[in-house]
Amino acid sequence: MSQTIIPRAAVRGTASGVLFMAFFGTLWAGIGIRGLQGWGFLWLLILSLLIGVLLLIGGIKLIKNSRRLSNAMMEGDATRRSKRMGMMFGIIFGLEGLLIAAASAICSATNHLDLFVPVMALIVGAHFFPLAHLFRVRIHYIAGTLLCLLATITLLTLPVRVTLGHHQIEVWWATVGFGSALILWGTGVAVWLTGLRLLKRARNGFKEDVDSFRL
């Protein structure tokens, strides 16, 4: 039946992407809030959590609605490919974590903690490129490019910190934190819309099959 053209795993894959973007986007927003050193803390925290929760709900709804789809295509070569993709994702994600841990240790040991957040954004941005190739999701190329550009431009053009009156702002942390959050949240919305389109195609295909059967 046409319903199997859009397997459950495809929709749940997009849902997982939405959940990841919701979680990590909110974490980056937290870094941005910390960079402001108390300015607008409560309102920015509420706004960040609200955006994260909305994306989280969107991802959960995709998973819930995917239950009606078939997984008939997940056999043979498709199953083996799915397992391979899962293994490669684990390797990429694990390597990203190791690089971030190494960057943290080096920045701390050399007393350059200011560098850590921009360097971490570079690492996160770079990890999107193999993910884009692995999952064949072009939006990940855009996300990776934007994150790398954000970190690079911040390092090259902005001061580490500024003092306004008696208040000090960590410019690198605030800029990279909020910028990365917006990039990841935007990517999450794009992936969520892709999931909705997959669900719509699956439903339309199933409806066509039912109509053909009635005829």
Side-chain angles (χ1 to χ4, degrees), residues 13 28 30 36 39 49 57-58 75 86 90-91 104-105 109 112 122 125 140 142-143 154 161 181 194 199 207 213:
W28 277 104
L36 292 179
W39 274 21
L49 291 175
I57 292 172
E75 298 176 359
I91 292 173
S104 175
H112 286 91
L122 284 171
H140 287 346
I142 298 174
T154 298
R161 60 184 62 85
T194 298
L199 280 174
K207 182 179 179 181
F213 179 75

Side-chain angles (χ1 to χ4, degrees), residues 71-190:
N71 241 7
M73 288 184 69
M74 296 304 293
E75 298 176 359
D77 292 340
T79 301
R80 285 191 291 272
R81 183 173 181 275
S82 178
K83 290 181 179 179
R84 177 180 170 277
M85 289 173 65
M87 181 181 69
M88 290 302 299
F89 172 78
I91 292 173
I92 294 169
F93 196 75
L95 182 59
E96 177 197 26
L98 287 175
L99 289 174
I100 290 174
S104 175
I106 293 172
C107 289
S108 178
T110 58
N111 199 29
H112 286 91
L113 281 176
D114 296 327
L115 283 170
F116 175 61
V117 169
V119 170
M120 181 167 60
L122 284 171
I123 294 171
V124 174
H127 107 289
F128 271 101
F129 294 105
L131 286 183
H133 177 74
L134 178 64
F135 295 115
R136 301 174 185 176
V137 179
R138 282 180 290 182
I139 189 68
H140 287 346
Y141 286 116
I142 298 174
T145 300
L146 289 176
L147 285 167
C148 290
L149 283 174
L150 172 67
T152 302
I153 292 172
T154 298
L155 286 170
L156 295 178
T157 65
L158 298 180
V160 177
R161 60 184 62 85
V162 296
T163 301
L164 300 176
H166 299 290
H167 190 87
Q168 188 177 78
I169 295 177
E170 300 291 334
V171 177
W172 283 5
W173 284 46
T175 302
V176 175
F178 288 123
S180 298
L182 291 174
I183 292 168
L184 294 183
W185 284 334
T187 303
V189 171

